[in-house]
Amino acid sequence: GPIFSDFFRSTGGEEQEKTTKELLEALKIIEEQALGDKKFFGGNAINLVDISYGMIAYWFKILEEVIGVYVLEPNTLPRLCQWAQNFMEVPVIKENIPEGHK
C-alpha cells in the first residue's frame, strides 16, 4: 500500500520519521488483527499472505542495513518480528532468498 511505498521512498529527516511512525502503526494493526498468536498468517504453515508479507520483511532488513531505520524490532513488534524469523527459516524460503550483500 501507499504507506509501504512512502517509507521506501522517504529521504530522511521529518519525512522519514513521519512515514516510519505511520508504518509502525499499520504493522501493529497487522500484528494484532491478522497474525495474532499464530506462527504464520495461515496458522502452522505458510500461505500466500505470508509470502506477500515475507518479501516486505526481506526488504525491511536490507533497508535497515542501508539507511539505519529499524522497523521489525522485538520491542515494538514482537510477534511480527518472530513471524519474520520463522518465515525466513522455512527451508524453501531460506534456500531461495538472496543474501543481503548480493
Side-chain angles (χ1 to χ4, degrees):
I3 293 172
F4 293 111
S5 58
D6 287 350
F7 177 76
F8 288 115
R9 283 198 314 263
S10 63
T11 55
E14 288 182 23
E15 178 189 4
Q16 191 171 62
E17 197 174 306
K18 180 179 178 276
T19 56
T20 301
K21 184 179 177 185
E22 290 172 356
L23 181 61
L24 278 172
E25 288 172 6
L27 289 173
K28 283 180 183 179
I29 291 169
I30 291 168
E31 180 182 68
E32 291 168 8
Q33 297 184 9
L35 182 61
D37 292 326
K38 300 184 298 261
K39 182 175 182 178
F40 297 107
F41 287 94
N44 287 325
I46 63 171
N47 66 14
L48 193 55
V49 176
D50 294 289
I51 292 169
S52 299
Y53 283 128
M55 298 320 322
I56 294 170
Y58 169 73
W59 284 111
F60 279 150
K61 291 298 176 192
I62 302 290
L63 203 60
E64 288 171 356
E65 292 174 20
V66 174
I67 64 172
V69 173
Y70 297 88
V71 178
L72 288 178
E73 289 292 296
N75 58 335
T76 53
L77 297 164
R79 289 177 285 177
L80 212 50
C81 188
Q82 183 61 54
W83 162 82
Q85 290 176 345
N86 292 339
F87 179 79
M88 296 295 184
E89 290 301 315
V90 172
V92 70
I93 301 299
K94 191 173 185 176
E95 292 165 10
N96 290 290
I97 295 263
E99 294 179 35
H101 65 279
K102 293 181 181 177

